[in-house]
Amino acid sequence: MGLYIFSCKNCGHTDEEMMSYEEIDAFLNSMSCSCGGELTRDISIPRLSLQSQDNQCVHNSNGYYSQAFGRYFKNQMHMYDWAERNGYVRVTEEQADAAIYGQADALTAQDKIAQDWTDNLKQSGGDKVQAAIKTFVPKNLQ
Ligand SMILES: [Zn+2]
């Protein structure tokens, strides 16, 4: 389950829904905004890393509870204002995908360094200085 944000292409109204990733297409195909506008998925990158088993969206006298941020807001607009002021960026699906692939590339690179380190440490008979010299290149030489 994830928290997904949908916005109306016509009026800009946004809503959050908890669902599994596989349900998104069906949701987009079957639902439309109360104004009749077509819905599209908005993605806020930090939300992607947030997981919650709790699928209750709470709206009570305390205000609007955001699963993603784990706190109450006066309303959704207040949440978006707060998110923007605190460095959260709302991006298009394409931008989010690009960011995720970028992260994957960075993680792959990290994995490679970790593997190189292990290999080099073995080859140098456990000499960490020798292994480090082989594994890492100073930034100014790259
Ligand atoms: Zn609308």
Side-chain angles (χ1 to χ4, degrees):
M1 297 290 279
L3 183 68
Y4 299 97
I5 306 168
F6 298 92
S7 67
C8 172
K9 286 181 180 177
N10 182 43
C11 72
H13 173 80
T14 62
D15 234 328
E16 292 181 352
E17 299 287 340
M18 288 291 294
M19 64 179 68
S20 66
Y21 188 81
E22 295 73 40
E23 291 173 312
I24 292 172
D25 283 346
F27 179 84
L28 286 174
N29 287 334
S30 61
M31 303 297 282
S32 63
C33 180
S34 53
C35 81
E38 198 183 332
L39 294 177
T40 183
R41 183 158 71 100
D42 274 5
I43 299 175
S44 178
I45 290 174
R47 284 155 189 260
L48 294 174
S49 60
L50 293 159
Q51 293 179 341
S52 174
Q53 297 302 311
D54 184 357
N55 59 5
Q56 300 296 307
C57 275
V58 184
H59 214 148
N60 60 25
S61 55
N62 290 321
Y64 178 83
Y65 184 77
S66 164
Q67 299 281 342
F69 296 116
R71 54 159 286 184
Y72 280 98
F73 296 93
K74 271 178 273 178
N75 50 48
Q76 270 189 327
M77 282 318 293
H78 177 227
M79 179 182 76
Y80 291 129
D81 283 352
W82 179 90
E84 234 167 77
R85 275 187 277 110
N86 285 276
Y88 290 88
V89 181
R90 291 178 74 196
V91 296
T92 65
E93 197 165 341
E94 287 75 18
Q95 287 171 319
D97 284 347
I100 290 163
Y101 291 132
Q103 271 180 355
D105 286 349
L107 287 173
T108 304
Q110 277 174 13
D111 281 352
K112 178 157 184 344
I113 289 170
Q115 188 57 51
D116 285 354
W117 169 258
T118 306
D119 292 347
N120 291 332
L121 195 59
K122 239 182 259 170
Q123 280 173 22
S124 63
D127 185 332
K128 288 183 182 172
V129 174
Q130 285 303 314
I133 290 167
K134 286 184 187 173
T135 309
F136 303 107
V137 180
K139 271 208 152 58
N140 57 7
L141 293 181
Q142 280 175 342

